[in-house]
């Protein structure tokens, strides 16, 4: 297995070049989630960063900044690795579905779909996006702990699978009086702890998601009496940005034991969904397992549990979000103002921040950056990269090692594909950035930059306040 050899000692950081994918990135089995940059990022002979054959400073000139730059080949490779690992390592039928909350837009959904990936959606908006991208409804699974009746009705009408999270879902489904039985998976809280930020842990017992394990029998009793509900599977998700393999190793037994109970109660269960959660590398300290290793643990634990409980291998579904899209994208900013607080800190500010990447302020997430127009410049300074928003906490990277920066330098923050664009806001009425898909020297807009008109589109001025 190809593993990157990034130096973990921050004090030895010398220039942007060190973050470039090393020779191991060229191996077929190089796992994109283990690299800080898209696998085919390079330095051009002009000492600039190139991604997907496109020069990043040139992209910024053409499309403006901030700019999300998404490497199509990296995204496709990730999809293929998930799909191939799951179908090669699992003895039964399988499906990878993309947790589109990581970044829902039609281009990404269409690429994932063209690679044989299905879709996890959590709202009417994500559902419409998946349908618009051409994802067939039989590959769409609707999640959510507070689905509206309208969202449920849309999913039922289109023929998607509903992941019932709670009694509210089950009662609302019955209330819809569907003409034919709806495919439903039951989401259960597995009670598995994992080490990640508390906001993104979901599998522990005190979670808002899923049925509590003590309710399983009661839920089974209820659904067996409903002709309009066909419980075709069991689901659990334990959390996000997880580097340990053990929690997913433990999950198989818990899930299959419930699957077996459901089967014994006569429910037509045939699918098992283990959720997502595999972490990615954001800094040299992060050391996530590869996609292949993760799938190996998942398939081994499900297979062993099926033997133990004497059930035939169900269709196995996993739903990665972050690790599917996170490492395929970077965000390019332009450097603006600078400030030195003598003896304390140097600040440089970029033309975006918490509105295009709310993760640092929300989870204290760390990122790494490179200077796209001077890749080999020596990292001789420690500088805090601040965003442009009126909030002291709007810091993109605290104490970053970087070369001396000049106004208009292009600072590129790495691994921003997941939960950046999808969590972006218009705080301070800052328009959301454009996103560009790069591949083989071609660059296409997949999200156009918001305009002032977009920002004002929803504003209404009551007549008595006008003019
Ligand atoms: N399935 C379910 C039911 C989920 O709730 C999630 C993520 C996933 C799959 C995908 O997990 P992933 O493979 O991306 O780890 N905004 C946070 C992450 C929230 C994750 C929510 N659920 C962040 O920026 O870190």
């Amino acid at each position: 297995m190809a593993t990157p050899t990034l130096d973990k000692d921050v004090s030895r950081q010398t220039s942007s070049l060190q973050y470039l994918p090393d020779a191991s990135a060229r191996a077929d089995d190089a796992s994109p989630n283990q690299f800080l940059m898209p696998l085919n990022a390079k330095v051009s002979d002009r000492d600039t960063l190139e991604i997907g054959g496109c020069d990043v400073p040139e992209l910024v000139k053409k499309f403006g900044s901030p700019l999300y730059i998404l490497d199509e080949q990296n995204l496709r490779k990730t999809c293929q690795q998930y799909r191939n690992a799951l179908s090669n390592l699992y003895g039964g039928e399988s499906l990878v579905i993309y947790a589109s909350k990581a970044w829902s837009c039609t281009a990404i959904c269409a690429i994932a779909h063209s690679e044989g990936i299905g879709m996890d959606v959590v709202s009417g908006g994500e559902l419409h996006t998946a349908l618009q991208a051409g994802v067939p409804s039989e590959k769409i699974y609707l999640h959510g702990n507070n689905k509206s009746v309208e969202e449920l009705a849309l999913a039922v009408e289109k023929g998607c699978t509903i992941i019932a999270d709670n009694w509210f879902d089950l009662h609302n489904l019955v209330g819809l009086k569907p003409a034919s039985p709806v495919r439903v998976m039951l989401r259960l809280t597995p009670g598995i702890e994992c080490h990640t930020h508390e906001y993104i842990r979901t599998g522990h017992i005190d979670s808002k998601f899923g049925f509590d394990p003590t309710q399983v029998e009661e839920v089974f009793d209820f659904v067996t009496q409903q002709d309009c509900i066909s419980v075709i599977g069991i689901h659990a998700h334990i959390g996000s940005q997880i580097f340990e393999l053990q929690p997913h190793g433990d999950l198989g037994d818990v899930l299959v034991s419930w699957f077996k109970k459901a089967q014994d109660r006569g429910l037509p269960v045939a699918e098992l969904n283990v959720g997502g959660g595999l972490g990615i590398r954001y800094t040299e300290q992060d050391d996530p397992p590869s996609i292949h290793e993760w799938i190996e643990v998942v398939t081994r634990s499900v297979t062993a549990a099926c033997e133990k409980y004497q059930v035939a291998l169900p269709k196995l579904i996993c739903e990665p979000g972050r690790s599917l899209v996170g490492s395929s994208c970077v965000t390019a900013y332009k450097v603006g103002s600078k400030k030195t607080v003598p003896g304390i800190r140097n600040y440089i500010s970029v033309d975006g921040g918490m509105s295009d990447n709310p993760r640092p302020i929300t989870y204290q997430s760390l990122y790494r950056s490179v200077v796209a127009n001077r890749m080999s410049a020596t990292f001789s300074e420690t500088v805090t990269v601040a965003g442009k928003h009126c909030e002291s906490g709007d810091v993109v990277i605290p104490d970053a090692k970087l070369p001396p920066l000049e106004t208009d330098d292009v600072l590129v923050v790495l691994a921003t594909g997941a939960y950046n664009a999808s969590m972006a806001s218009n705080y301070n009425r800052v328009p959301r950035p454009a996103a560009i898909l790069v591949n083989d020297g071609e660059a296409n807009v997949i999200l156009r930059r918001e305009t002032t008109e977009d920002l004002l589109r929803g504003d209404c001025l009551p007549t008595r306040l006008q003019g």
Side-chain angles (χ1 to χ4, degrees):
M1 181 122 336
T3 37
T5 53
L6 202 57
D7 192 339
K8 288 189 185 171
D9 184 347
V10 183
S11 67
R12 283 199 290 263
Q13 292 180 355
T14 51
S15 77
S16 300
L17 299 176
Q18 78 208 312
Y19 295 135
L20 286 174
D22 61 7
S24 66
R26 286 192 290 277
D28 283 345
D29 61 356
S31 192
N33 69 315
Q34 297 184 310
F35 291 81
L36 269 166
M37 284 207 191
L39 298 180
N40 59 357
K42 330 195 259 249
V43 176
S44 71
D45 12 355
R46 295 174 309 285
D47 199 30
T48 57
L49 175 62
E50 216 178 87
I51 299 179
C54 296
D55 184 83
V56 171
E58 289 300 321
L59 289 176
V60 167
K61 254 187 222 151
K62 183 162 177 200
F63 298 103
S65 58
L67 189 65
Y68 298 119
I69 302 169
L70 180 73
D71 180 357
E72 181 172 349
Q73 286 181 18
N74 201 79
L75 177 59
R76 288 191 181 278
K77 179 164 183 157
T78 316
C79 293
Q80 288 156 15
Q81 282 198 357
Y82 262 111
R83 206 197 49 211
N84 293 342
L86 191 56
S87 59
N88 293 340
L89 295 171
Y90 189 59
E93 211 191 322
S94 62
L95 178 68
V96 179
I97 62 179
Y98 167 48
S100 64
K101 71 204 79 183
W103 188 351
S104 171
C105 70
T106 44
I108 293 177
C109 293
I111 291 171
H113 166 53
S114 72
E115 294 294 345
I117 308 285
M119 217 53 58
D120 148 2
V121 299
V122 294
S123 67
E126 287 184 4
L127 175 51
H128 280 298
T129 307
L131 291 169
Q132 176 90 6
V135 183
S137 57
E138 64 269 19
K139 283 186 164 180
I140 302 180
Y141 292 72
L142 177 67
H143 271 282
N145 66 305
N146 193 21
K147 304 171 188 75
S148 68
V149 173
E150 292 74 23
E151 287 171 328
L152 274 179
L154 174 69
V156 168
E157 180 209 321
K158 298 291 178 190
C160 308
T161 303
I162 311 291
I163 314 242
D165 202 272
N166 48 43
W167 289 105
F168 185 64
D169 277 347
L170 292 178
H171 292 307
N172 282 338
L173 274 175
V174 173
L176 283 174
K177 299 192 177 36
S180 50
V182 179
R183 278 169 48 91
V184 170
M185 295 187 90
L186 298 175
R187 177 171 181 172
L188 299 165
T189 313
I192 291 177
E193 302 281 340
C194 55
H195 296 110
T196 186
H197 193 286
E198 64 170 311
Y199 292 1
I200 54 179
R201 267 188 293 166
T202 53
H204 55 300
I205 291 293
D206 181 8
S207 163
K208 71 169 180 171
F209 297 107
F211 288 98
D212 187 83
T214 56
Q215 298 184 318
V216 172
E217 293 298 335
E218 209 183 325
V219 174
F220 288 168
D221 282 344
F222 179 81
V223 292
T224 42
Q225 289 155 28
Q226 310 303 324
D227 293 340
C228 63
I229 291 179
S230 176
V231 172
I232 56 97
I234 306 287
H235 170 280
H237 169 77
I238 57 179
S240 197
Q241 184 61 356
I242 302 173
F243 291 169
E244 306 152 285
L245 289 167
Q246 192 57 41
H248 282 97
D250 296 341
L251 182 62
D253 194 277
V254 179
L255 271 177
V256 176
S257 72
W258 285 327
F259 187 90
K260 163 81 171 148
K261 276 190 191 144
Q263 207 170 50
D264 291 348
R265 295 295 302 273
L267 295 169
V269 281
E271 300 187 10
L272 203 67
N273 183 331
V274 297
L278 173 61
I280 68 167
R281 169 168 268 170
Y282 288 105
T283 74
E284 51 290 299
Q285 259 70 41
D286 296 335
D287 207 358
S290 67
I291 291 167
H292 193 272
E293 286 165 326
W294 188 82
I295 294 280
E296 212 167 23
V297 166
V298 165
T299 52
R300 212 187 294 132
S301 91
V302 169
T303 310
C306 287
E307 268 168 37
K308 175 174 157 190
Y309 294 101
Q310 296 281 294
V311 298
L313 290 180
K315 175 169 173 177
L316 181 57
I317 300 177
C318 67
E319 49 189 18
R322 186 191 314 272
S323 55
L324 202 121
V325 75
S327 314
S328 295
C329 182
V330 301
T331 306
Y333 300 97
K334 268 173 74 171
V335 172
S337 66
K338 301 198 225 180
K339 172 178 178 179
T340 298
V341 186
I344 301 185
R345 195 181 300 281
N346 291 325
Y347 286 99
I348 62 113
S349 295
V350 293
D351 53 359
M354 62 184 284
S355 62
D356 59 79
N357 182 1
R359 299 194 70 258
I361 199 166
T362 313
Y363 317 109
Q364 298 75 50
S365 308
L366 294 177
Y367 284 86
R368 291 292 178 250
S369 61
V370 300
V371 186
N373 51 309
R374 276 182 293 126
M375 288 293 286
S376 53
T378 307
F379 282 5
S380 55
E381 297 208 338
T382 300
V383 48
T384 287
V385 179
K388 68 174 271 141
H389 303 84
C390 286
E391 180 119 356
S392 299
D394 179 26
V395 164
V396 184
I397 308 176
D399 299 327
K401 296 266 184 287
L402 284 168
L405 288 168
E406 306 300 333
T407 300
D408 287 342
D409 275 341
V410 177
L411 190 79
V412 169
V413 175
L414 310 178
T416 56
Y419 306 109
N420 276 226
S422 64
M423 288 173 48
S425 74
N426 289 126
Y427 182 46
N428 294 158
R429 286 236 141 162
V430 172
R432 278 173 291 197
I436 304 295
L437 185 71
V438 292
N439 191 358
D440 258 341
E442 204 184 296
N444 292 107
V445 177
I446 55 168
L447 264 185
R448 73 162 170 74
R449 185 175 302 285
E450 283 183 335
T451 59
T452 312
E453 292 76 63
D454 292 327
L455 294 173
L456 290 168
R457 193 190 300 135
D459 288 21
C460 305
L461 196 59
T463 327
R464 65 185 174 77
L465 298 181
Q466 289 172 15

